[in-house]
């Protein structure tokens, strides 16, 4: 069976975790130097943060989307299957400096994919190619029974 899987890159999984770990570590080091009675985090907390990072990286590796001939399987904390015949459109949405792929279903539900995505600190050089692949996959597998829904017009 033909399948295509898109996941966040290792850097995209690490980027959200690294600033917090560096902040905790710097507070742990700076607190004893700045105050005789430090109230900041201790070294065990900083060590626990750094030891938890590999687990967080492994857990976030399952996020993404798998394209099959019948559906797009979205892997988030809860797995969801979207049939190609129910998809009305696929586009790129920008928000807070991150561009991500959005799947619009017939009922109006929007599903924002965690991968592929790209942003300033969240770079994915192959984002446009991945977006194009998802769109072509939908056009090829949506079936002859697919018909577009009428678009609602906003009243002014």
């Amino acid at each position: 069976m033909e399948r295509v899987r898109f996941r966040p890159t290792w850097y995209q999984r690490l980027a959200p975790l690294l600033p917090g770990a560096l902040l905790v570590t710097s507070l742990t080091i700076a607190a004893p130097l700045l105050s005789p009675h430090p109230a900041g985090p201790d070294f065990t907390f900083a060590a626990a943060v750094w030891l938890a990072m590999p687990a967080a990286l492994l857990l976030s590796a399952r996020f993404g989307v798998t394209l099959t001939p019948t559906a797009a399987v979205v892997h988030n904390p809860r797995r969801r299957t979207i049939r190609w015949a129910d998809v009305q459109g696929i586009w790129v949405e920008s928000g807070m400096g991150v561009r991500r792929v959005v799947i619009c279903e017939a009922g109006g539900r929007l599903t924002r994919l965690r991968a592929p995505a790209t942003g300033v600190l969240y770079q994915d050089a192959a984002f446009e190619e991945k977006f194009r692949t998802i769109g072509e996959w939908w056009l090829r597998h949506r079936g002859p029974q697919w018909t577009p829904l009428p678009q609602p017009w906003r009243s002014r």
Side-chain angles (χ1 to χ4, degrees):
M1 177 185 254
E2 185 182 11
R3 290 176 178 251
V4 175
R5 175 94 191 246
F6 295 122
R7 298 180 189 183
T9 64
W10 69 270
Y11 180 75
Q12 289 176 329
R13 296 188 329 251
L14 179 66
L17 304 174
L18 198 55
L22 291 174
L23 179 68
V24 168
T25 303
S26 62
L27 287 176
T28 301
I29 293 169
L33 299 174
L34 299 175
S35 172
H37 305 289
D42 61 353
F43 284 106
T44 55
F45 183 72
V49 168
W50 282 100
L51 291 174
M53 283 184 62
L57 288 172
L58 288 173
L59 289 174
S60 63
R62 65 178 290 259
F63 294 142
V65 64
T66 302
L67 310 176
T68 68
T70 57
V73 181
V74 180
H75 304 280
N76 280 331
R78 290 180 44 193
R79 190 175 122 174
R80 201 161 152 264
T81 302
I82 304 171
R83 292 179 346 115
W84 291 122
D86 295 337
V87 175
Q88 289 297 305
I90 298 174
W91 61 81
V92 174
E93 184 177 83
S94 296
M96 296 182 61
V98 177
R99 294 175 61 216
R100 56 182 77 245
V101 176
V102 178
I103 298 176
C104 178
E105 297 178 56
R109 183 175 182 172
L110 300 178
T111 303
R112 290 162 183 85
L113 304 179
R114 292 190 184 207
T118 190
V120 176
L121 299 175
Y122 209 72
Q123 291 290 323
D124 184 357
F127 175 77
E128 294 297 330
E129 180 183 334
K130 292 175 183 179
F131 167 65
R132 201 168 27 259
T133 301
I134 293 171
E136 290 170 359
W137 197 276
W138 167 56
L139 292 174
R140 194 174 15 183
H141 294 95
R142 64 186 179 187
Q145 73 280 7
W146 181 85
T147 56
L149 293 177
Q151 296 296 315
W153 298 98
R154 292 185 188 182
S155 60
R156 291 189 181 231

